[in-house]
RNA sequence: GCUGGGGUUCCCGAGCGGUCAAAGGGGCUGGACUUAAGAUCCAGUGCUUAGUGCUUCGCAGGUUCGAAUCCUGCCCUCAGCACCA
């Protein structure tokens, strides 16, 4: 219907020519500095990104209209593996990948370009800026930066030098999830670094050593439940399998070959020195720690060589599968004979009660197996369920029994840790990490857990830093409020974080060891600060060589001597001073807006780095979090593909409709789903508004003013007030409800009511249009031009509400007419009359107004009906009966209590008479109840007009 | 499991002690306009009734003169849980 694309382009061009988003220091103007958390360069923007971005732009536009000097810069985060692996796939011409890019309209030449990591980053970051412009964002694109740029890397080097100075950079051993070829990778559901296994969990197991025949020779098992070691009765392994002897330091460990592969990465050069068959081990004994006893090695079919060591220590009291394994053997002499075991001896093995837990007693595994009717160790599903349940109950409600030495009476939760510690200290146990499922790197190689001896960490656990950050958070504007409340907990939970890794990644070399590259989270914490530098580096006003530690110290921390610095880096004092001024003008950052995924990782490090390295006055002022755009298939994300090619969506619905959709479909703290129906709905809404304006311009308007004009003024100003308040709370849903729906409805009512005053209408719609400038800026400019205004909405002031125009009395009067209208309708409907000729309206009897007033006052004093009624019946004794029933009714339903006067009601009706007559095409008469005998007149109450239709 | 968030009338989604049968939108029904369709406008949309009354806001209790809104228990659901921005 309307050609949105045309005027979107038109206005974007005008904004761009006026360079509205390009801002510099204006000392006489207050500043507002806002960013969205920049995103990883790994492909096209999708509709999910645009949700948060358009909020950011709306806030920026709002602040600009309030008179702030607004800086909204952007950048791209290219650190890490993303671009490398994406480019690789293009280079290898993977058909799916090539198809994807072709569908997005890439030419062969461009596909060529994105086949190298740098080309990829370059292409997409340029595309991002184009997308921002296409979406009507007014940002300072001159400052655009990418984390892989050389100048940015100088900045990160500086950051790490400062961290070290502040003793926030430390080294210690670490168990990293790592690809055997590429080095450390992130194992997380986004699968940025992976091709498989994003949901895998990293478990810390306790590795138990059971002494075998030779000195220093051990059968090793792993467990998540070290506290159950008091209940060991035997050891399980696979009779038919072959195990290996692994030399670990000066010990020999017997375990599966698969385990040997894993432990290789966690111990100093282990080597396989021999083999031993399951058949050789079964029937032998080994020495179990803690219970200090020899236990027999028995065969089972549930030992998986891929899990742990492929050998299991058996605790039948608390592990259902162990119990069933034992049960199976004890039931069958044949089976024992087969394995050359002494049946009588096997039968003597008894589970040892060690933990008492709620509901399951002292032998939870056995009790639950009975309850679930598990028949043998082959009932894998049931046993898994049983295991989960016993574990859960045991962990939360379990208490160690008397035979558990010094741990008796201790809660399982606690005993678990203490026992683990004791065993390790006695060299009877060790720590072993494993993944809960198979994980494969993007390169196709296996991901394992690898011990890094001297890993670098940022010390987020630092008590002082944590405390300082918690204090700072209290002063911040963080939305949702819920997050603000959680923040202290998040910050306390936040531990040291590995900050650099080896391998070939994009990013900044770690300044204290060039073989490391700083990892993606750690190099994107202070970046808003860098937008103040990139303005100069992008324009080549400063060279790389000039970005020294001293330079950053001076401009960010005001440290050092200007003259000395200027001479040293050969940069004019003037420019250095200018940058220093920029920093002190623009910093701190006012708002960082990001998706909910940032809550527990990005935002904490963003804050802690600011708090740790910068003076207090440069610490961020606000964090806003928006939830996601989801589809039926889950989160809309780049890696999952599917819907969300923003170019197509813009064409289909228009930018304004999309921006309005994001703002209005739900509040920002809920996931929304992107569907055609909703988008169409918002496009139609814009069509409707355009049409409304066109009609208004065609309308013949008059100079006449009535109460309705005052009413519209009141409504409009009240809404304006609400809009501003809601804007401050990023309650965009409520803001857009008012702007695009409620004000529209007010105007419609006004017009239907007969309002057509030129001055009222034009003064208000000119203001109304300005409010469109936040979420639908293109249509705002277009309408504004249509009205003949020469100024730009984007550069105008946001309309101020006129509080003197707001009148609750006027609004409630009008509400009464609205209610009356609907009452008359229902009366007509119920009368069964086909045609109405006459409507008589009765204004209530005088005494009732007085009664209402008295009642209102009494209700302020007491809620006790027993006290109120006698007082009123006394005063209104002639209407004794009516008073009783009326008062009880009102107390039951307070909304009936409308205090007004007879005169006002009559006036109100008189004014609405013409309107009512026109609406119902019938004669309308207003009559005082005192002047008639009609029973309807007696029913009339203050605020409730009696109605008779004939 | 831990830590948080939710469950509202056909649907989406506001509301978070009285003004709530519950905003706004969508859908549906009826009417106006139109040759017609679409768009737009107007009305209705829990059950009932000359404008009243009755029953609703996950389930079960409780506090209060009064609860969708507060408290307790339960059920169901969603998210985050670390080298992923």
């Amino acid at each position: 219907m309307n050609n949105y694309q045309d005027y979107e382009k038109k206005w974007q061009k005008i904004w761009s020519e006026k360079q509205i988003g390009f801002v510099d220091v204006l000392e006489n103007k207050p500043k507002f500095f806002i960013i969205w958390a920049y995103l990883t360069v790994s492909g096209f923007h999708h509709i999910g990104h645009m949700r948060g971005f358009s909020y950011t732009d709306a806030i920026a536009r709002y602040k600009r209209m309030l008179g702030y000097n607004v800086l909204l810069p952007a950048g791209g985060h290219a650190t890490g593996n993303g671009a490398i692996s994406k480019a690789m796939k293009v280079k290898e011409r993977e058909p799916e990948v090539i198809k994807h890019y072709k569908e997005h309209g890439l030419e062969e030449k461009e596909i060529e370009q994105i086949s190298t990591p740098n080309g990829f980053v370059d292409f997409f970051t340029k595309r991002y800026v184009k997308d921002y412009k296409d979406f009507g964002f007014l940002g300072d694109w001159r400052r655009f930066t990418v984390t892989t740029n050389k100048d940015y890397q100088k900045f990160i080097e500086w950051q790490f030098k400062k961290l070290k100075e502040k003793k926030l950079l430390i080294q210690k051993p670490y168990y990293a999830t790592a690809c055997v070829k590429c080095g450390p990778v992130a194992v997380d559901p986004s699968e940025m670094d992976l091709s498989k296994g994003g949901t895998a969990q990293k478990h810390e197991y306790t590795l138990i050593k059971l002494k075998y025949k030779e000195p220093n020779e051990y059968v090793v098992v792993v467990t998540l439940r070290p506290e159950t070691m008091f209940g060991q009765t035997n050891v399980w392994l696979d009779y038919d399998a072959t195990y290996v002897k692994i030399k670990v330091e000066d010990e020999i460990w017997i375990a599966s070959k698969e385990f040997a592969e894993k432990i290789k990465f966690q111990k100093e050069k282990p080597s396989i020195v021999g083999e031993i068959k399951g058949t050789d081990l079964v029937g032998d004994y080994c020495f179990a720690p803690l219970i200090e006893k020899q236990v027999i090695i028995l065969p089972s079919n549930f030992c998986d060589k891929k899990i742990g060591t492929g050998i299991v220590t058996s605790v039948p009291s608390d592990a259902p599968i162990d119990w069933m394994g034992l049960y199976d053997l004890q039931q069958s002499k044949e089976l024992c004979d087969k394995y050359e075991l002494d049946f009588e001896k096997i039968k003597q093995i008894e589970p040892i009660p060690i933990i008492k837990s709620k509901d399951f007693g002292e032998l939870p595994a056995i009790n639950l197996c009975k309850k679930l009717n598990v028949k043998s160790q082959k009932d894998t599903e049931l046993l898994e369920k049983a295991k989960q349940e016993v574990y859960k109950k045991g962990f939360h409600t379990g208490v160690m029994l008397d035979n558990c030495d010094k741990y008796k009476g201790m809660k399982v939760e606690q005993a678990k840790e203490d026992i683990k510690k004791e065993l390790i200290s006695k060299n009877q146990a060790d720590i072993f990490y494993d993944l809960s499922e198979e994980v494969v790197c993007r390169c196709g190689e296996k991901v394992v857990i690898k011990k890094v001896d001297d890993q670098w960490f940022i010390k987020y656990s630092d008590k002082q830093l944590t405390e300082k950050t918690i204090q700072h958070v209290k002063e911040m504007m963080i939305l949702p409020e819920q997050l603000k409340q959680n923040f202290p907990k998040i910050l306390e939970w936040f531990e040291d974080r590995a900050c650099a890794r080896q391998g070939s990644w994009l990013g900044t070399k770690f300044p204290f060891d060039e073989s490391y590259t700083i990892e993606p989270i750690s190099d994107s914490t202070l970046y808003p600060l860098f937008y103040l530098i990139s303005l100069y580096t992008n324009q080549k006003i400063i060279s790389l060589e000039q970005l020294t530690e001293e330079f950053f110290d001076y401009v960010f921390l005001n440290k050092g001597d200007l003259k000395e610095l200027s001479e040293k880096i050969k940069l004019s004092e003037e420019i250095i001073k200018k940058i220093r001024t920029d920093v002190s003008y623009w910093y701190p950052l006012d708002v960082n807006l990001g998706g909910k995924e940032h809550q527990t990782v990005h935002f904490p490090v963003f804050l802690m780095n600011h708090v740790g390295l910068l003076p207090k006055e440069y610490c961020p002022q606000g964090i806003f979090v928006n939830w996601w755009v989801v589809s039926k298939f889950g989160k809309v994300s780049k890696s999952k593909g599917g819907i969300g090619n923003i170019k197509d969506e813009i064409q289909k619905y228009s930018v304004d409709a999309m921006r309005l959709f994001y703002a209005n479909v739900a509040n920002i703290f809920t996931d929304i789903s992107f569907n055609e129906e909703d988008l169409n709905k918002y496009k139609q809404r814009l069509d409707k508004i355009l049409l409304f304006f066109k009609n208004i311009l065609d309308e013949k308007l008059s100079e006449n003013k009535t109460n309705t004009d005052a009413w519209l003024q009141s409504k409009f100003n009240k809404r304006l007030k609400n809009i501003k308040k809601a804007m401050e709370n990023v309650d965009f849903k409520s803001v857009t409800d008012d702007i695009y729906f409620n004000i529209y409805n007010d105007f419609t009512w006004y017009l239907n009511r007969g309002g057509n005053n030129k001055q009222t209408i034009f003064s208000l719609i000119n203001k109304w249009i300005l409010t469109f400038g936040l979420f639908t800026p293109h249509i705002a400019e277009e309408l504004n031009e249509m009205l003949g205004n020469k100024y730009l909405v984007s550069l105008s002031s946001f309309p101020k509400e006129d509080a003197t125009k707001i009148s609750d009395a006027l609004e409630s009067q009008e509400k009464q007419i609205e209610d009356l209208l609907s009452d008359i309708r229902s009366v007509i409907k119920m009368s069964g009359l086909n045609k109405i000729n006459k409507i008589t309206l009765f204004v209530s009897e005088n005494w009732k107004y007085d009664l209402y007033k008295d009642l209102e006052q009494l209700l302020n004093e007491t809620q006790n009906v027993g006290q109120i009624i006698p007082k009123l019946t006394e005063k209104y004794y002639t209407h004794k009966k009516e008073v009783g029933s009326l008062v009880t009714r009102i107390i039951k339903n307070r909304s009936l209590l409308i205090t007004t006067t007879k005169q006002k009601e009559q006036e109100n009706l008189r004014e609405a008479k013409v309107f009512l007559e026109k609406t119902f095409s019938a004669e309308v008469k207003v009559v005082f109840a005192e002047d008639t005998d009609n029973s309807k007149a007696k029913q009339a109450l203050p605020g409730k007009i009696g109605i008779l239709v004939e």
Side-chain angles (χ1 to χ4, degrees), chain A residues 42-195:
Chain A
S42 64
F44 295 98
H45 277 138
H46 58 71
I47 48 157
H49 298 119
M50 290 314 183
R51 181 178 185 189
F53 298 173
S54 37
Y55 294 158
T56 312
D57 183 62
I59 297 171
R61 283 174 174 273
Y62 178 63
K63 291 287 177 179
R64 190 175 296 111
M65 290 178 83
L66 287 182
Y68 288 89
N69 190 20
V70 175
L71 173 57
L72 166 60
H77 186 254
T79 316
N81 191 18
I84 296 177
S85 66
K86 293 266 177 171
M88 188 80 81
K89 285 182 178 168
V90 178
K91 195 170 182 188
E92 283 163 7
R93 305 293 296 187
E94 281 186 26
E96 276 298 306
V97 174
I98 300 297
K99 193 176 145 222
H100 166 79
Y101 290 118
K102 288 212 162 140
E103 273 171 8
H104 276 76
L106 264 61
E107 305 283 331
E108 190 48 50
K109 212 174 70 197
E110 292 164 319
I111 290 179
E112 179 69 23
Q113 187 197 343
I114 62 171
S115 68
T116 68
N118 286 328
F120 185 93
V121 171
D122 204 46
F123 175 84
F124 277 103
T125 48
K126 290 209 167 70
R127 171 61 74 94
Y128 290 170
V129 176
K130 185 181 177 298
D131 288 342
Y132 302 150
K133 291 179 183 165
D134 286 348
F135 248 74
F137 302 156
L138 300 180
D140 194 343
W141 317 127
R142 298 174 302 172
R143 300 172 192 260
F144 194 87
T145 193
V146 183
T147 59
T148 46
N149 289 352
K150 290 271 182 292
D151 54 346
Y152 189 87
Q153 301 192 341
K154 289 278 181 186
F155 169 65
I156 297 305
E157 282 171 22
W158 174 81
Q159 178 197 348
F160 275 76
K161 283 176 188 161
K162 296 302 116 177
L163 283 169
K164 194 154 185 238
E165 257 175 41
K166 299 255 180 182
K167 299 201 168 29
L168 291 172
L169 213 52
I170 55 168
Q171 273 181 298
K172 60 181 182 183
Y174 180 63
Y175 292 89
T177 48
C179 163
V180 294
K181 203 169 118 195
C182 308
V185 290
V187 175
D188 71 87
S190 79
E191 300 194 339
M192 199 64 98
D193 296 346
L194 309 175
S195 64

Side-chain angles (χ1 to χ4, degrees), chain A residues 466-528:
Chain A
T466 304
E467 188 45 40
K468 231 172 127 185
T469 312
I470 290 173
Q471 286 308 319
H472 178 67
V473 160
K474 284 186 187 159
E475 295 163 26
M476 289 178 69
M477 168 101 173
I478 296 178
L479 291 171
E481 185 56 35
Q482 204 51 239
L483 176 61
K484 181 163 177 165
Q485 280 168 27
N486 291 343
F487 237 116
K489 273 194 238 159
I490 296 174
L491 291 167
E492 271 164 13
W493 159 84
F494 213 95
E495 284 170 22
D496 299 340
R497 191 179 177 96
C499 62
R501 53 193 190 183
Q502 283 177 316
S504 56
W505 316 94
L506 295 184
T508 307
K509 293 274 168 274
F510 191 68
F512 309 106
D513 184 346
E514 300 264 319
S515 69
Y516 280 82
T517 304
I518 292 167
E519 68 74 46
I521 298 276
S522 305
D523 79 346
S524 42
T525 58
L526 294 177
Y527 64 97

Side-chain angles (χ1 to χ4, degrees), chain A residues 645-658:
Chain A
N645 181 352
I646 56 167
K647 217 172 130 194
D648 296 347
E649 309 295 345
I650 288 178
Q651 264 170 24
K652 239 191 278 176
Y653 307 111
S654 85
V655 170
D656 282 347
M658 286 180 73

